[in-house]
């Protein structure tokens, strides 16, 4: 069995490369879907919406399944199998020249990419209790870094062709697999393994607990609305900017990297500052107002410079979800915190499936030649309405909460 002094480094690299691999293809998404479907960019987005929904559905279904398999057979084999599957799949996607093959490739990516839950389980295995939260934060930093580096690299590789980002992702995943195969140790001790039970891998199980806790139902609905609105960016951004601003794939990559950087800055320092300055409740209100304003501005951003300027306002809305999750967590007993996080993750997964379908079809409808109203920003307007509804629900449910 291989040994390393700090396996957390490997998991950090694994998650980072996974996120880079996922985001590296975003800049060419609009081009490649339009290419294989033989339609215009604003028509191709409906196919992209279904592709994203299929990818998210596979993540939703297979995350608990792979997590349960790793409890039975260990983290190492599940991680290595997933990584190797990504290598093969990225090569497959680089060669895919029809829409069905593109669908098949992204479905496989969703299955293999569902290993993120196993990565978090690995971190839990190797962390002492007092360091666990810190180490989870390190993995969260890897995700954020991947969302910056991925689009940036993807945009640059797009200059070599629409398939080049897939080849780059395959190479990164293969290097990661080699590193893991020869160096990564197993983290789960034999005495801590359990028998595999398919019933415990039910992705819908978390939702059953909501009916038992009326104190958080409305606030969980607020979170779901925020998650739904947040999916408008990955769902339509490459298509929106290519259609409206005629951006190249390189320019799309740079813009997505800028969004990732702004999100990282907000998460890295502004959230803590807002908590200390305004407290949780006011931070929720303030974040939702910024989120609503940013989305509404995007809806009418008819010049390219506005995309960058309005991103600053939009990303400030990132202070709302963590503040709201903190309030929700305070209404749940200590022995139910893990279950709560499972519910939140499931809500996020459902929004990742539903929102791309709604946003992509809305964009296609209001940019089609048959539409009586030409409104490319309709999806952003709908997302803004969702955030406004979330804001009104918060005014109702949080009015009796003492600001902290």
């Amino acid at each position: 069995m291989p040994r390393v002094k700090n396996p957390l480094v490997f998991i950090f690299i694994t998650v980072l490369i996974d996120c880079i691999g996922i985001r590296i293809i975003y800049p060419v998404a609009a081009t490649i879907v339009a290419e294989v479907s033989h339609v215009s960019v604003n028509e191709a987005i409906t196919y992209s919406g279904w592709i994203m929904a299929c990818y998210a559905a596979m993540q939703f279904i297979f995350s608990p399944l792979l997590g349960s398999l790793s409890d039975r057979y260990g983290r190492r084999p599940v991680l290595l199998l997933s990584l190797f599957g990504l290598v093969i799949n990225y090569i497959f996607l680089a060669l895919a020249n029809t829409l069905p093959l593109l669908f098949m490739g992204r479905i496989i990516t969703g299955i293999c990419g569902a290993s993120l839950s196993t990565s978090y389980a690995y971190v839990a295995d190797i962390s002492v209790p007092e360091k666990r939260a810190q180490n989870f934060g390190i993995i969260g930093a890897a995700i954020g870094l991947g969302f910056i580096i991925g689009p940036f690299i993807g945009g640059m590789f797009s200059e070599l062709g629409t398939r080049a980002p897939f080849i780059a992702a395959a190479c990164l995943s293969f290097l990661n697999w080699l590193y893991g195969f020869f160096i990564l140790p197993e983290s789960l001790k034999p005495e801590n393994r359990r028998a595999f039970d398919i019933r415990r891998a039910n992705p819908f199980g978390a939702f059953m607990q909501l009916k038992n806790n009326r104190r958080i139902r409305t606030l969980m609905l607020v979170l779901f609305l925020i998650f739904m609105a947040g999916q408008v960016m990955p769902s339509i951004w490459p298509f929106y900017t290519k259609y409206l601003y005629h951006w190249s794939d390189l320019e799309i990559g740079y813009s997505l990297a800028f969004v990732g950087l702004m999100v990282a800055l907000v998460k890295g320092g502004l959230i803590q500052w807002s908590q200390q300055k305004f407290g949780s409740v006011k931070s929720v209100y303030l974040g939702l107002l910024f989120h609503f304003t940013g989305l509404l501005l995007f809806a009418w951003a008819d010049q390219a410079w506005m995309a960058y300027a309005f991103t600053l306002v939009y990303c400030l809305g990132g202070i709302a979800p963590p503040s709201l999750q903190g309030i929700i967590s305070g209404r749940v007993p200590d022995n139910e915190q893990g279950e709560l996080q499972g519910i939140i993750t499931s809500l996020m997964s459902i929004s990742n499936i539903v929102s791309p379908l709604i946003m992509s079809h809305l964009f296609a409808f209001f940019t089609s030649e048959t539409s009586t109203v030409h409104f490319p920003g309709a999806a952003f307007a709908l997302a803004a309405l969702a955030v406004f509804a979330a804001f009104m629900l918060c005014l109702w449910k949080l009015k009796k909460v003492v600001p902290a």
Side-chain angles (χ1 to χ4, degrees):
M1 179 67 65
R3 292 286 183 268
V4 291
K5 291 183 178 179
N6 189 2
L8 182 64
V9 174
F10 172 83
I11 295 299
F12 179 90
I13 295 172
T14 298
V15 174
L16 175 62
I17 291 178
D18 277 354
C19 292
I20 290 174
I22 292 169
R23 294 285 175 166
I24 203 172
I25 63 176
Y26 270 38
V28 299
T31 302
I32 200 168
V33 174
E35 179 184 299
V36 299
S37 59
H38 307 292
V39 295
S40 63
V41 168
N42 58 313
E43 293 176 299
I45 193 173
T46 56
Y47 297 120
S48 175
W50 282 105
I51 290 172
M52 291 185 69
C54 289
Y55 170 85
M58 294 303 101
Q59 292 250 305
F60 177 64
I61 294 170
F62 282 90
S63 285
L65 180 62
L66 290 182
S68 292
L69 285 173
S70 75
D71 284 342
R72 172 64 183 89
Y73 299 105
R75 319 300 185 202
R76 187 173 187 269
V78 172
L79 286 171
L80 291 179
L81 185 63
S82 296
L83 284 172
F84 194 75
L86 285 174
V87 174
I88 301 301
N89 188 58
Y90 284 133
I91 296 173
F92 176 83
L93 283 168
L95 301 174
N97 57 1
T98 66
L99 198 58
L101 290 178
L102 201 60
F103 265 96
M104 188 183 303
R106 290 303 284 169
I107 287 172
I108 298 172
T109 304
I111 296 172
C112 296
S115 60
L116 185 61
S117 59
T118 306
S119 297
Y120 274 104
Y122 194 108
V123 172
D125 293 339
I126 63 174
S127 304
V128 294
E130 58 269 22
K131 288 283 187 178
R132 194 165 290 167
Q134 177 183 330
N135 290 344
F136 282 150
I138 292 173
I139 299 304
I143 296 173
L145 197 58
F147 286 176
I148 300 171
I149 298 173
F152 185 80
I153 296 177
M156 290 192 295
F157 273 101
S158 69
E159 295 291 282
L160 303 176
T162 54
R163 308 303 173 123
F166 292 98
I167 299 298
C171 292
L172 283 172
S173 295
F174 183 64
L175 289 173
N176 201 21
W177 179 83
L178 286 175
Y179 181 40
F181 184 81
F182 290 107
I183 297 176
L184 179 70
E186 177 56 62
S187 64
L188 187 64
K189 298 177 181 179
E191 61 269 23
N192 292 332
R193 301 185 185 189
R194 65 172 177 85
F196 177 76
D197 185 353
I198 191 65
R199 292 172 297 181
R200 297 183 68 170
N202 177 15
F204 297 96
F207 292 115
M208 301 301 294
Q209 304 306 318
L210 273 178
K211 67 179 182 181
N212 300 324
N213 197 331
R214 296 182 179 180
R215 294 174 298 170
I216 65 171
R217 284 183 193 172
T218 304
L219 294 181
M220 294 299 276
L221 175 59
V222 171
L223 262 186
F224 181 69
L225 289 171
I226 295 172
F227 293 154
M228 288 284 288
Q231 276 298 305
V232 69
M233 289 291 280
S235 297
I236 75 166
W237 188 259
F239 298 86
Y240 179 78
T241 53
K242 187 176 283 288
Y243 175 82
L244 198 60
Y245 309 138
H246 307 289
W247 278 357
S248 66
D249 295 338
L250 178 63
E251 290 172 308
I252 293 172
Y254 287 163
S255 69
L256 287 170
F258 179 73
V259 172
L261 178 61
M262 292 301 101
V263 170
L265 290 175
V266 170
K267 288 185 176 180
L270 196 58
I271 291 175
Q272 182 179 357
W273 176 83
S274 70
Q275 289 286 314
Q276 295 173 346
K277 182 72 174 178
F278 304 111
S280 297
V281 175
K282 289 183 179 179
S283 292
V284 171
Y285 293 150
L286 192 61
L288 289 177
L289 285 174
F290 276 122
H291 201 178
F292 170 76
T293 304
L295 288 167
L296 211 56
L297 290 171
F298 277 137
W300 279 273
D302 57 356
Q303 298 183 46
W305 66 267
M306 295 179 178
Y308 282 92
F310 297 161
T311 293
L312 298 174
V313 180
Y314 169 79
C315 289
L316 287 173
I319 65 176
S323 302
L324 182 60
Q325 288 183 40
I327 294 171
I328 295 173
S329 179
R331 298 186 175 191
V332 173
D334 290 342
N335 61 354
E336 295 179 13
Q337 293 295 321
E339 188 174 69
L340 172 64
Q341 296 309 312
I343 296 173
I344 292 174
T345 301
S346 296
L347 286 175
M348 187 179 297
S349 298
I350 293 295
S351 71
N352 292 347
I353 298 170
V354 177
S355 186
L357 292 175
I358 297 173
M359 302 304 180
S360 61
H361 281 76
L362 201 62
F363 176 82
F365 177 80
F366 281 100
T367 56
S368 66
E369 296 179 357
T370 58
S371 176
T372 55
V373 178
H374 183 260
F375 186 22
F380 286 110
L382 178 64
L385 286 176
V387 173
F388 180 75
F391 180 81
M392 297 306 293
L393 286 171
C394 280
L395 286 178
W396 172 47
K397 293 300 291 186
L398 297 181
K399 60 184 179 181
K400 295 182 179 180
V401 177
V402 179

